[in-house]
Amino acid sequence: MAGMAETSRPRGGDHGTDRTDRTRARRKAQQGRGTAVPAADPADARLEHARDGKLKLNRPKRGLIDETEAQQIAEDRARLQQQGIGGPLDGRMLSNPAATDGGRPQVRPQAEGWKQQTTDDGRPLLQFKQPRVAQPKTHLADLTLAERQAKVAELGFPAFRAKQLSNHYFNHFTSDPDRMTDLPKGAREKLVTELMPPLLTEVRRLTTDNGDTIKFLWRLFDGALVESVLMRYPGRVTLCVSSQAGCGMNCPFCATGQNGLTRNMSTAEIVEQVVRANEVIAEGALGGLRKDGGHNAERVTNIVFMGMGEPLANYKRVIASVRRMVDPAPEGLGMSARHITVSTVGLVPAINRLAEEGIPVTFALSLHAPDDELRDELIPVNSRWKADEAIDAAYNYFVKTGRRVSIEYALIKDMNDHAWRADLLGQKLNARGRGWVHVNPIPLNPTPGSIWTSSEPDVTDEFINRLEAAGIPTTLRDTRGKEIDGACGQLAAEGDEDEGAEGDVTPSDRRPGASSASIDLRA
Ligand code: SAH
């Protein structure tokens, strides 16, 4: 969901890693004010190793988790189940919430105002295969510098032209041959045509938050629509990028999922969102930036893969785009991997693969419910990988990379915001270790036609307090750009309505549900 990315409590926190917040959480836990925190001895011991620097992070391993890891996780899980966490008791809690939460109702996830795509036997459809496979023409951002040099040589130009072209793109954010004055005139057109095909056409640009937030709607070469959101914060500029046109994960609260998956975006299409945002910043369109490149950056410093799509379902291209973002200029954008957040609905094998990639990106898991009974309905892919498996994979990401992970939790009124769920979440996280995770609750950004709303402030506070009392650093995130359809996918869903005759996209273009390429993993 574009527009959601940063903290509102405490102010100025970065991705929920605000120090005061952590310290407060730790102090509370030390004071013993926490709710039942299982003594997670073995996991804690592993963590101490990490602090001592003895744990070998990033060690090359094949497969998912090694045997010791798997055994450890199995033991942790068995202990949890003894305590009634995970397994059948989760269900009892959901079926009888009054027993655990002062009689607050349990609203079940249900599509309102639109129809969730289902399989013939009525289960939510999951699409891992893209109905459309055509990709745009190869762009230099799809290639490594060496590959660009080979391509340039193939076209009959000296290989160093590749560096010059790359410099224009990644340092000056331009694909305009007229501005490439260091290249011979005759070469420019040819090189640009061959290596810089147009990727994103701007359809709409909406600005809000006093000019600090800009939402873009882009049309891809085949008419598919995607969004990105640019957000200025003190000391950093964040871009929320899309990785797929549409999304096949079918989460009932998410605007993007409502139209299904159209296709994977190419590596260059993903990267171009950043380059275009940098161009817009350079033009002065994002408010309040210092021109001398001081504390307030003049280019995008942080990326969140929280726009349209499931990044790990487009794994190879997303990883290639991350490499391009972190490659030093002119090969890439020279950004810091730590400032890039990859968010997933919980595709476990892909999370484990990401942990072995050797790029220290920040990892975020969209959990939204700690118990399978609710998560099965809220996050359809939970039919394939259960909440505990997703949390295990997130924990494994921490073990392998040493990078603290984020748990995303959209707070939905009377659906997933019960105090017992905060306790259950805290217990499940602590059972695997301490200091490896923080939680980012996000007030739900209701999609059009939905009767779901975000949690009441006192319920939100209680949820956060319970997690903090359990020693889990927790930071409420703000939703940016609500008035510009902040929930990602809303703009794309409406995009063609305003385009009139010019629009070449019909709603059916983005409703691939009938495609034979769609698969139901539960089958
Ligand atoms: N598919 C990926 C990334 C895209 S969505 C994922 O699921 O993580 C980015 C985040 O926004 C996810 O945590 C997603 O669950 C959340 N989200 C989607 N729709 C939302 C809404 N209407 N309100 C609040 N959060 C939402």
Side-chain angles (χ1 to χ4, degrees):
M1 73 169 254
M4 179 284 295
E6 307 287 331
T7 55
S8 68
R9 185 195 125 150
R11 289 188 102 75
D14 185 11
H15 265 343
T17 59
D18 186 271
R19 198 176 291 270
T20 17
D21 206 36
R22 281 207 301 275
T23 316
R24 200 176 46 193
R26 217 174 286 134
R27 203 172 45 233
K28 272 193 191 169
Q30 280 160 1
Q31 285 165 351
R33 288 173 52 205
T35 46
V37 174
D41 32 319
D44 271 354
R46 280 201 305 269
L47 182 63
E48 286 313 320
H49 277 201
R51 286 204 192 104
D52 290 341
K54 286 180 194 153
L55 183 73
K56 279 221 174 100
L57 304 174
N58 268 331
R59 54 185 179 271
K61 269 185 204 157
R62 286 280 143 245
L64 303 182
I65 306 179
D66 73 10
E67 246 172 59
T68 333
E69 240 0 282
Q71 197 184 340
Q72 185 59 65
I73 286 171
E75 282 169 19
D76 286 349
R77 222 191 246 171
R79 194 177 57 230
L80 276 173
Q81 289 201 352
Q82 268 174 9
Q83 294 165 9
I85 304 167
L89 184 66
D90 287 0
R92 282 210 296 281
M93 284 172 164
L94 181 59
S95 310
N96 185 15
T100 53
D101 215 10
R104 283 191 45 222
Q106 172 66 59
V107 172
R108 316 289 297 218
Q110 235 178 22
E112 294 289 334
W114 63 285
K115 198 168 161 4
Q116 192 178 28
Q117 289 182 52
T118 52
T119 54
D120 290 345
D121 52 359
R123 293 172 300 185
L125 183 74
L126 287 168
Q127 296 170 279
F128 283 84
K129 281 198 187 141
Q130 41 175 359
R132 258 191 226 173
V133 289
Q135 291 278 299
K137 270 181 66 182
T138 302
H139 184 281
L140 64 81
D142 289 306
L143 308 172
T144 62
L145 187 55
E147 288 166 340
R148 285 171 221 163
Q149 284 162 341
K151 176 91 182 164
V152 164
E154 216 176 89
L155 293 168
F157 297 100
F160 68 84
R161 297 281 177 228
K163 241 186 192 169
Q164 288 176 306
L165 268 189
S166 304
N167 191 41
H168 283 295
Y169 189 68
F170 289 111
N171 270 332
H172 303 298
F173 321 125
T174 186
S175 311
D176 178 1
D178 291 342
R179 290 178 58 192
M180 302 181 182
T181 47
D182 56 340
L183 288 151
K185 257 202 150 171
R188 291 182 212 167
E189 290 290 344
K190 173 93 174 144
L191 285 169
V192 168
T193 309
E194 291 298 329
L195 278 158
M196 298 165 124
L199 295 171
L200 306 180
T201 308
E202 190 172 328
V203 178
R204 275 212 252 169
R205 185 188 300 193
L206 302 177
T207 303
T208 186
D209 298 323
N210 295 322
D212 283 348
T213 304
I214 303 177
K215 184 161 185 166
F216 300 94
L217 178 66
W218 308 105
R219 187 188 294 115
L220 308 182
F221 85 102
D222 56 353
L225 297 171
V226 298
E227 301 171 7
S228 31
V229 183
L230 184 59
M231 293 161 281
R232 186 179 77 87
Y233 291 89
R236 66 184 184 280
V237 175
T238 300
L239 185 72
C240 181
V241 295
S242 294
S243 55
Q244 295 182 310
C247 184
M249 297 297 107
N250 209 355
C251 302
F253 57 92
C254 176
T256 306
Q258 296 182 7
N259 287 323
L261 176 65
T262 300
R263 72 166 167 87
N264 288 325
M265 290 175 72
S266 72
T267 297
E269 283 172 332
I270 298 169
V271 174
E272 169 103 342
Q273 295 171 76
V274 192
V275 172
R276 296 291 288 274
N278 281 337
E279 186 188 14
V280 166
I281 295 169
E283 285 162 0
L286 188 65
L289 292 179
R290 274 172 54 175
K291 286 290 163 206
D292 62 0
H295 183 58
N296 292 329
E298 278 192 274
R299 44 196 294 187
V300 174
T301 56
N302 293 46
I303 301 284
V304 290
F305 277 86
M306 293 187 179
M308 297 171 73
E310 166 49 47
L312 296 189
N314 185 15
Y315 189 88
K316 271 204 222 145
R317 295 180 189 92
V318 164
I319 295 299
S321 75
V322 170
R323 292 199 187 281
R324 220 70 350 117
M325 289 169 197
V326 303
D327 286 340
E331 178 147 19
L333 285 160
M335 299 180 71
S336 152
R338 286 157 193 274
H339 292 162
I340 299 175
T341 301
V342 175
S343 178
T344 178
V345 76
L347 309 188
V348 167
I351 299 171
N352 290 325
R353 198 171 155 197
L354 183 68
E356 305 287 352
E357 228 24 272
I359 320 176
V361 293
T362 299
F363 173 75
L365 171 66
S366 298
L367 192 66
H368 304 314
D371 55 301
D372 284 328
E373 194 173 352
L374 177 59
R375 198 169 192 269
D376 277 344
E377 294 180 5
L378 208 50
I379 309 289
V381 87
N382 206 60
S383 60
R384 181 68 182 259
W385 296 286
K386 295 294 169 195
D388 278 305
E389 291 174 277
I391 300 171
D392 286 345
Y395 178 65
N396 177 54
Y397 188 85
F398 165 77
V399 171
K400 297 281 165 63
T401 63
R403 304 276 306 135
R404 194 166 72 148
V405 308
S406 307
I407 299 285
E408 306 296 311
Y409 201 105
L411 282 170
I412 311 171
K413 188 177 175 184
D414 295 334
M415 192 178 297
N416 65 353
D417 60 356
H418 307 85
W420 69 262
R421 284 202 165 91
D423 293 343
L424 180 61
L425 177 58
Q427 287 165 11
K428 285 193 171 191
L429 299 180
N430 280 331
R432 285 151 175 99
R434 299 299 181 89
W436 66 279
V437 64
H438 68 271
V439 176
N440 286 145
I442 313 136
L444 180 83
N445 200 353
T447 55
S450 159
I451 56 154
W452 305 10
T453 48
S454 54
S455 304
E456 300 293 344
D458 57 330
V459 172
T460 303
D461 280 350
E462 177 68 8
F463 198 89
I464 293 168
N465 289 341
R466 295 239 177 179
L467 283 165
E468 286 187 339
I472 310 280
T474 304
T475 311
L476 184 67
R477 287 215 196 164
D478 198 5
T479 48
R480 274 269 183 121
K482 277 196 190 109
E483 62 278 35
I484 52 170
D485 295 337
C488 198
Q490 283 180 223
L491 214 52
E494 293 157 11
D496 47 338
E497 283 167 17
D498 290 357
E499 283 172 41
E502 189 213 341
D504 56 355
V505 182
T506 65
S508 61
D509 271 317
R510 292 177 284 101
R511 266 182 209 110
S515 160
S516 57
S518 308
I519 50 164
D520 175 23
L521 284 174
R522 286 200 261 189

